[in-house]
Amino acid sequence: MKIGEAAAASGVSAKMIRYYEDIGLIDAPPRSASGYRHYREEDIHMLLFVRRGRELGFSMPQLRTLTSLWRDKTRASADVKRLANDHIATLNARIASLQAMADTLKTLARQCQGDARPDCPILDALRQPQADRSQPQDHSGQK
Amino acid sequence: MKIGEAAAASGVSAKMIRYYEDIGLIDAPPRSASGYRHYREEDIHMLLFVRRGRELGFSMPQLRTLTSLWRDKTRASADVKRLANDHIATLNARIASLQAMADTLKTLARQCQGDARPDCPILDALRQPQADRSQPQDHSGQK
DNA sequence: ATCAACCTTACCACCATGGCAGGGTCAAGC
DNA sequence: GCTTGACCCTGCCATGGTGGTAAGGTTGAT
């Protein structure tokens, strides 16, 4: 299978397949006499594996570890689980960070009249020193 | 105030201050005879404004609009509010995407023994065609 | 033989940020 | 005045994952 077919079959662009090979994430496939890369079913599985890992938000270093675990038939599932749990923690942190931004903005937007007048608590908040801007309607202290 | 002091006062690195000037996000300040940039209080406020906007996750194009709204004393607060709401929607989309990744991984990790044996549903899921992996305890069909 | 569709490598661009190099400036201490 | 150290200036390089483009080779079908 040539690279174009491999790309179509795996959903990874030919460009990225070459890149992944370049950085050593996937093995270099055999070449034809004229230099064309030649992929087998197994290679397509690897590309699908990488693509799905990316879709789950794994970083390239994590993916490197994941693929080596995948190839290692004697791996311990605990190693995979630990990596997954690490990644879940990372995702949760990013979610919390984005959620904090959204919460702040929601509060500010709620306070903004949104009419033709120039007064705007959103701009005010950006102008002034950092104040506690998180959900002021809730004074119970629970997050 | 020289750029180093402005950086310390605003929390924006000197490097980034020059960059923001370069791309026209902030105005070029006056220079001393020897070429040193000279900042006033007002400029520091602008830098703080930009920094807080970045902390809230606004993109550079959005910040460009925000700063021009900030400078425009005759702006309509509706314009600011619309920009904020757009950004909230973007943030929500990113949160939902990350949350979906985390949910999938949590489900897989829960199914993984995490012991010394190699069998691992996480790797299996990455190997196989996309299946419905979202919260399998719910069979109602609602997404 | 020709032509289109594919393949190859090797660049450039993005964007926000940091780092480094090479050289100028300023202020304090002597 | 001279030295020294802390600052400032510009300009270049690197990042990371992806897309684009260009110039040239291969293949297969007509």
Side-chain angles (χ1 to χ4, degrees):
Chain A
M1 216 193 300
K2 288 187 290 184
I3 199 171
E5 298 165 88
S10 67
V12 180
S13 72
K15 194 85 191 213
M16 291 313 299
I17 295 177
R18 295 194 194 96
Y19 175 69
Y20 290 155
E21 177 187 330
D22 209 48
I23 64 174
L25 183 61
I26 61 176
D27 288 338
R31 305 274 192 128
S32 73
S34 54
Y36 284 21
R37 290 171 181 81
H38 187 72
Y39 298 89
R40 287 149 309 167
E41 272 307 308
E42 190 188 322
D43 302 315
I44 307 304
H45 287 156
M46 174 63 95
L47 288 170
L48 282 167
F49 182 91
V50 169
R51 177 166 77 85
R52 294 195 189 111
R54 293 293 289 160
E55 284 170 0
L56 287 178
F58 283 102
S59 68
M60 300 299 282
Q62 284 175 319
L63 222 33
R64 232 174 252 277
T65 306
L66 268 182
T67 53
S68 80
L69 286 172
W70 190 48
R71 275 185 279 236
D72 176 7
K73 298 300 185 219
T74 72
R75 76 215 156 216
S77 66
D79 291 340
V80 184
K81 189 167 185 171
R82 186 167 352 99
L83 188 57
N85 280 331
D86 284 356
H87 185 41
I88 290 170
T90 302
L91 288 173
N92 284 340
R94 285 161 62 188
I95 289 168
S97 167
L98 293 176
Q99 192 66 62
M101 295 179 195
D103 287 348
T104 300
L105 277 170
K106 275 172 201 158
T107 301
L108 293 174
R110 192 153 21 84
Q111 293 164 3
C112 175
Q113 295 297 321
D115 55 18
R117 286 171 298 173
D119 317 87
C120 178
I122 302 172
L123 294 181
D124 290 348
L126 287 169
R127 182 166 46 76
Q128 285 171 6
Q130 206 71 291
D132 181 14
R133 212 171 290 123
S134 58
Q135 309 303 327
Q137 82 288 359
D138 179 24
H139 284 208
S140 71
Q142 67 149 31
K143 198 223 152 223
Chain B
M1 221 195 299
K2 288 187 290 184
I3 200 171
E5 298 166 88
S10 66
V12 179
S13 72
K15 193 85 191 209
M16 290 313 298
I17 296 177
R18 295 193 194 98
Y19 175 69
Y20 289 155
E21 176 188 333
D22 208 48
I23 65 173
L25 183 61
I26 60 176
D27 288 337
R31 305 273 191 129
S32 72
S34 53
Y36 284 20
R37 290 172 180 81
H38 187 72
Y39 298 90
R40 289 150 307 166
E41 273 307 309
E42 190 188 321
D43 301 314
I44 306 305
H45 287 155
M46 174 62 97
L47 289 170
L48 282 166
F49 182 91
V50 169
R51 178 166 75 87
R52 294 197 188 110
R54 293 293 290 161
E55 284 170 0
L56 286 178
F58 284 102
S59 68
M60 299 300 282
Q62 284 174 319
L63 264 187
R64 233 174 250 279
T65 307
L66 268 182
T67 52
S68 78
L69 287 171
W70 191 48
R71 276 184 280 237
D72 177 7
K73 297 300 186 218
T74 72
R75 76 216 156 215
S77 65
D79 290 339
V80 184
K81 189 167 186 171
R82 186 168 351 100
L83 188 58
N85 280 331
D86 284 356
H87 185 40
I88 289 169
T90 302
L91 288 173
N92 284 339
R94 284 161 62 188
I95 289 168
S97 168
L98 293 177
Q99 193 66 62
M101 295 180 195
D103 287 348
T104 299
L105 277 169
K106 276 171 200 158
T107 301
L108 292 174
R110 192 156 18 87
Q111 293 164 4
C112 176
Q113 295 298 319
D115 56 18
R117 286 172 298 171
D119 316 271
C120 179
I122 302 172
L123 293 181
D124 290 348
L126 287 168
R127 182 167 45 77
Q128 285 172 6
Q130 205 70 293
D132 182 13
R133 213 170 293 123
S134 58
Q135 310 304 329
Q137 80 285 3
D138 178 30
H139 283 210
S140 71
Q142 65 154 29
K143 175 165 177 282

